[in-house]
Amino acid sequence: MTMLRCTHVLLALVLVSHTTARAEDALPSWKAGSAKRAILEFVAKVTDEGGPDFVRPGDRIATFDNDGTLWVEQPMYTQFVFIIDRIKQLAPEHPEWKTTQPYQAVLENDRDAILAAGDHGILQMAMVTHAGMTDDEFRRIVVDWVTTAKQPRFKRLYTECVYQPQLELLAYLRANGFQTFIVSGGGIEFMRPWTEKVYGIGPPQVVGSSIATEFKMLDGKSALVRLPKVNFIDDKAGKPVGIGQHIGQRPILAFGNSTGDREMLQYTTAGSGPRLGLLVYHDDAVREYAYGPADGMPDSKVGTFPQSLMDEANRNGWIVVGMRENWKVIFPSEQ
Amino acid sequence: MTMLRCTHVLLALVLVSHTTARAEDALPSWKAGSAKRAILEFVAKVTDEGGPDFVRPGDRIATFDNDGTLWVEQPMYTQFVFIIDRIKQLAPEHPEWKTTQPYQAVLENDRDAILAAGDHGILQMAMVTHAGMTDDEFRRIVVDWVTTAKQPRFKRLYTECVYQPQLELLAYLRANGFQTFIVSGGGIEFMRPWTEKVYGIGPPQVVGSSIATEFKMLDGKSALVRLPKVNFIDDKAGKPVGIGQHIGQRPILAFGNSTGDREMLQYTTAGSGPRLGLLVYHDDAVREYAYGPADGMPDSKVGTFPQSLMDEANRNGWIVVGMRENWKVIFPSEQ
């Protein structure tokens, strides 16, 4: 082996990760098309050190909604299924629930009565199931549930109903020096126990809605106790506020899928320099679900994507990523 | 060059950063002694992959207070000096301040009258100087100030009055797979504009007190507007709460210097597995300041370290790091 040969080996070692990150097939589950091209061009542009659109790594912030953007949100938000399951599990300790709404509706699987309870009823059930324990205890409850409960249509764990193209995109962005964050209307402590394993996004990079906590001594050991009181709602105009609190930097890329993400995309794309806003568009009833404004698809209360959002996306140059024409596969299991 | 030789070169390249991170002189400004030994042993233990105290990298969370732990806090908190300077700068737009307390006291440099205004007066002045602009505008105000204002005794920028041994410790921890966070009672947006450059800690890793913000359209562009309303106080029992909100994991190492850090150290060291709590002890009037419980040092309202905290530290095995006997140099300029 010559000296030259040895240098080549060294060089190859240094270059291999760089090349992989840049190659077109870093997104193998994305079909060729304008959405994939827009992503690749954006990343090439902000990582081009000599170029006019270069963004230094510390400022490469990408934020992703969770429900409907990274994992399935139909037929109802996963966290709501968790609430219903917990209510049933806790029912033996609360005999009064048999005759008290909205608990009675849950115990009797009366969907209409559950919906009739409205936001107030849902909030009430969220507090009963999410508060009154320490942070460590709640983490265990979530892990127990998320490693056993299954999505009704796909008969798989909810954490297996995540979108393979998005897993590739998250990894691709990180390989190109981005910090990837979740910014979700869902509960922050409902996501943190499993997001690192599933998405590669650790607890500090998760932003979400939260209830208040209190620092207390319990059995001589200090702990954070979860209180039945809303601390922050990370949805709609709350998303930029949550980004400000947790990240402290305006993202350069944001990916959502509904009206809850509108302000996050507005805030992201209003910054100076290169910006990219994207929306998942659920138009694939065969492989997943269809609930958007076009093609006579039914209006959805979960993950609402009205025509006005489509119009705003077109006006602002946000990329609308229809599942049908952009994603070769939907779930990791299809690979 | 033989094949064997080439392999050695490759191996050396791979090992060099690892060895550097572990070597004793990763902390050259720390004198040999029990504090330095405790830090090195702790890091060796949690990074020993086969050992009983191994902690996986994602759980290696280290939190540092800022005022008095990473930079000078005497003769008064830096952010309070910023408030006073801003009041003077804004005074021409507020002629009524000449005859209204606590502003009048500031404009007349009447230290006793400023202190007499108490917490309410300070809060009032904090709101006037920290709210009413966008997040981007406030960032520029902080950068302008922090790149020009000088600490009165050392005649240097405040960002040059940071502790060299702590800069080394932060870098050493990161080289060993730790994520380093600031958890300070100071304003989160007062720190974020400069912490990455000075400490290597980016905006998302800064936890602090905050005021409320609101998402608004201004001149057709979306922005976060800072409101004159307290959102969160990240001090005392608020520190574990802030850690829960921002980090979502119990730290394994926490470093503070006053009663404001007591609960953060309690929360950190109450976790299972290896934990390390540390306190800077300001006992060096010659090179910095002396304001602790021992040796008849004066009691301080800034960075209070009463005998009860010393007793608790001894009881819990928290390491008290006296500046005099543990730090070879205090500031980067002394090197």
Side-chain angles (χ1 to χ4, degrees):
Chain A
M1 196 175 200
T2 62
M3 184 66 194
L4 191 68
R5 180 82 189 284
C6 185
T7 309
H8 276 171
V9 172
L10 289 173
L11 205 63
L13 278 173
V14 172
L15 290 180
V16 68
S17 66
H18 190 69
T19 312
T20 308
R22 297 250 170 163
E24 175 87 6
D25 67 357
L27 303 175
S29 301
W30 287 72
K31 293 185 195 171
S34 59
K36 182 171 185 170
R37 199 163 50 240
I39 292 169
L40 294 172
E41 283 176 3
F42 180 78
V43 171
K45 180 161 81 171
V46 302
T47 55
D48 175 16
E49 206 158 340
D53 291 320
F54 179 70
V55 176
R56 57 172 213 102
D59 291 330
R60 290 180 208 156
I61 305 287
T63 54
F64 286 75
D65 171 57
N66 186 39
D67 297 308
T69 299
L70 295 179
W71 75 352
V72 170
E73 63 183 351
Q74 295 285 355
M76 60 174 94
Y77 293 121
T78 306
Q79 194 170 4
F80 193 52
V81 183
F82 167 75
I83 289 173
I84 288 174
D85 285 358
R86 281 295 291 166
I87 293 283
K88 290 178 178 172
Q89 203 171 7
L90 293 171
E93 300 164 35
H94 298 272
E96 75 281 8
W97 285 357
K98 280 184 195 157
T99 54
T100 318
Q101 293 296 10
Y103 308 102
Q104 184 183 346
V106 169
L107 298 178
E108 294 173 355
N109 295 314
D110 183 346
R111 201 187 147 94
D112 289 343
I114 295 174
L115 292 177
D119 288 350
H120 178 72
I122 290 169
L123 190 65
Q124 208 180 328
M125 291 194 287
M127 291 306 153
V128 163
T129 52
H130 285 65
M133 70 291 280
T134 68
D135 53 347
D136 290 334
E137 286 162 354
F138 186 68
R139 195 170 299 125
R140 277 191 293 273
I141 291 168
V142 171
V143 168
D144 284 349
W145 188 83
V146 95
T147 53
T148 52
K150 294 197 170 170
Q151 206 272 356
R153 173 172 162 195
F154 300 110
K155 318 283 187 213
R156 284 195 302 266
L157 297 179
Y158 287 94
T159 51
E160 292 167 333
C161 297
V162 297
Y163 305 134
Q164 175 62 27
Q166 300 290 60
L167 300 183
E168 293 166 8
L169 177 55
L170 288 169
Y172 172 64
L173 291 173
R174 287 192 293 264
N176 280 283
F178 279 74
Q179 294 177 67
T180 54
F181 290 83
I182 290 173
V183 177
S184 167
I188 192 165
E189 297 304 343
F190 180 71
M191 298 181 280
R192 280 172 163 167
W194 52 269
T195 53
E196 183 157 16
K197 203 171 162 189
V198 176
Y199 302 134
I201 296 177
Q205 276 78 50
V206 179
V207 182
S209 299
S210 59
I211 61 175
T213 61
E214 188 185 11
F215 178 73
K216 266 196 174 173
M217 295 300 278
L218 289 177
D219 307 327
K221 278 211 164 190
S222 57
L224 286 178
V225 175
R226 296 170 58 78
L227 307 177
K229 190 185 150 211
V230 172
N231 175 61
F232 183 66
I233 300 293
D234 190 55
D235 199 28
K236 298 192 169 70
K239 287 205 175 190
V241 172
I243 289 169
Q245 282 177 11
H246 284 259
I247 307 177
Q249 292 163 278
R250 202 188 280 248
I252 63 168
L253 182 155
F255 212 139
N257 79 300
S258 78
T259 48
D261 305 309
R262 189 192 293 255
E263 287 85 354
M264 175 168 77
L265 267 69
Q266 288 173 346
Y267 181 61
T268 299
T269 58
S272 57
R275 306 278 158 167
L276 190 62
L278 303 119
L279 290 166
V280 174
Y281 180 49
H282 296 263
D283 60 356
D284 194 333
V286 176
R287 297 188 299 168
E288 205 241 8
Y289 295 94
Y291 49 105
D295 308 322
M297 287 190 280
D299 226 24
S300 175
K301 285 205 168 190
V302 172
T304 311
F305 193 139
Q307 186 59 46
S308 62
L309 183 58
M310 187 66 91
D311 295 342
E312 187 169 353
N314 291 333
R315 224 166 34 238
N316 294 340
W318 300 343
I319 312 290
V320 176
V321 180
M323 282 189 159
R324 219 166 26 189
E325 59 176 306
N326 285 288
W327 289 356
K328 285 185 202 161
V329 300
I330 308 288
F331 302 119
S333 57
E334 293 166 36
Q335 287 194 294
Chain B
M1 199 174 195
T2 63
M3 184 66 193
L4 191 69
R5 180 79 189 285
C6 186
T7 309
H8 276 172
V9 172
L10 289 174
L11 205 64
L13 278 174
V14 172
L15 290 179
V16 68
S17 65
H18 190 67
T19 312
T20 307
R22 296 248 170 165
E24 175 88 6
D25 65 359
L27 303 175
S29 302
W30 287 73
K31 293 184 195 172
S34 59
K36 181 171 186 170
R37 199 162 49 241
I39 293 169
L40 294 172
E41 283 175 5
F42 180 78
V43 172
K45 182 161 78 172
V46 302
T47 54
D48 176 17
E49 206 157 341
D53 291 319
F54 179 71
V55 177
R56 59 172 211 103
D59 292 330
R60 291 181 207 155
I61 305 287
T63 54
F64 285 75
D65 169 57
N66 186 38
D67 297 308
T69 299
L70 295 179
W71 75 351
V72 170
E73 64 184 350
Q74 294 285 356
M76 60 173 96
Y77 293 121
T78 306
Q79 195 169 3
F80 192 53
V81 182
F82 167 74
I83 289 173
I84 288 175
D85 284 358
R86 282 295 291 165
I87 293 282
K88 289 178 179 173
Q89 201 170 8
L90 294 170
E93 299 164 35
H94 298 271
E96 73 281 9
W97 285 356
K98 279 185 195 156
T99 52
T100 318
Q101 292 298 7
Y103 309 102
Q104 184 182 347
V106 168
L107 298 179
E108 294 173 355
N109 295 313
D110 183 345
R111 199 185 148 94
D112 290 343
I114 295 173
L115 292 177
D119 288 350
H120 177 74
I122 291 169
L123 190 64
Q124 208 180 328
M125 291 193 287
M127 292 306 155
V128 162
T129 51
H130 286 65
M133 70 291 280
T134 68
D135 54 347
D136 290 335
E137 286 164 353
F138 186 68
R139 194 171 300 125
R140 276 192 292 274
I141 291 168
V142 171
V143 168
D144 284 350
W145 187 82
V146 95
T147 53
T148 52
K150 295 198 170 168
Q151 206 272 356
R153 174 173 160 193
F154 300 109
K155 319 281 185 215
R156 284 195 300 266
L157 298 179
Y158 286 94
T159 51
E160 293 168 333
C161 297
V162 297
Y163 306 133
Q164 175 63 26
Q166 300 290 61
L167 299 184
E168 293 167 9
L169 177 56
L170 288 168
Y172 172 65
L173 291 172
R174 287 192 293 262
N176 281 283
F178 279 74
Q179 294 178 66
T180 54
F181 290 83
I182 290 173
V183 178
S184 167
I188 193 166
E189 297 304 344
F190 179 70
M191 296 181 282
R192 280 172 162 167
W194 51 269
T195 53
E196 183 157 15
K197 201 170 163 190
V198 175
Y199 302 134
I201 297 177
Q205 277 79 49
V206 178
V207 182
S209 298
S210 59
I211 61 175
T213 60
E214 188 185 11
F215 178 73
K216 268 196 172 171
M217 296 299 278
L218 290 176
D219 306 327
K221 279 213 161 188
S222 57
L224 287 177
V225 175
R226 297 171 58 78
L227 307 177
K229 190 183 150 212
V230 172
N231 174 60
F232 183 65
I233 300 294
D234 190 55
D235 199 30
K236 299 193 169 67
K239 287 205 173 189
V241 172
I243 289 169
Q245 283 177 9
H246 284 259
I247 307 176
Q249 292 163 278
R250 203 187 280 247
I252 63 169
L253 182 156
F255 212 138
N257 80 300
S258 78
T259 48
D261 304 309
R262 188 192 296 253
E263 287 84 354
M264 175 168 78
L265 266 71
Q266 288 174 347
Y267 181 62
T268 299
T269 58
S272 59
R275 305 279 159 166
L276 191 62
L278 303 118
L279 290 166
V280 174
Y281 180 50
H282 296 263
D283 60 356
D284 195 332
V286 175
R287 296 188 299 170
E288 204 240 10
Y289 295 94
Y291 50 105
D295 307 323
M297 287 190 280
D299 226 21
S300 174
K301 286 206 169 192
V302 173
T304 311
F305 193 140
Q307 185 60 44
S308 62
L309 183 58
M310 186 65 92
D311 295 343
E312 187 170 353
N314 291 333
R315 224 165 36 238
N316 294 339
W318 300 344
I319 311 291
V320 176
V321 180
M323 283 189 158
R324 219 167 24 188
E325 59 177 306
N326 285 288
W327 288 356
K328 284 184 203 163
V329 299
I330 308 290
F331 303 118
S333 58
E334 293 166 34
Q335 287 195 294

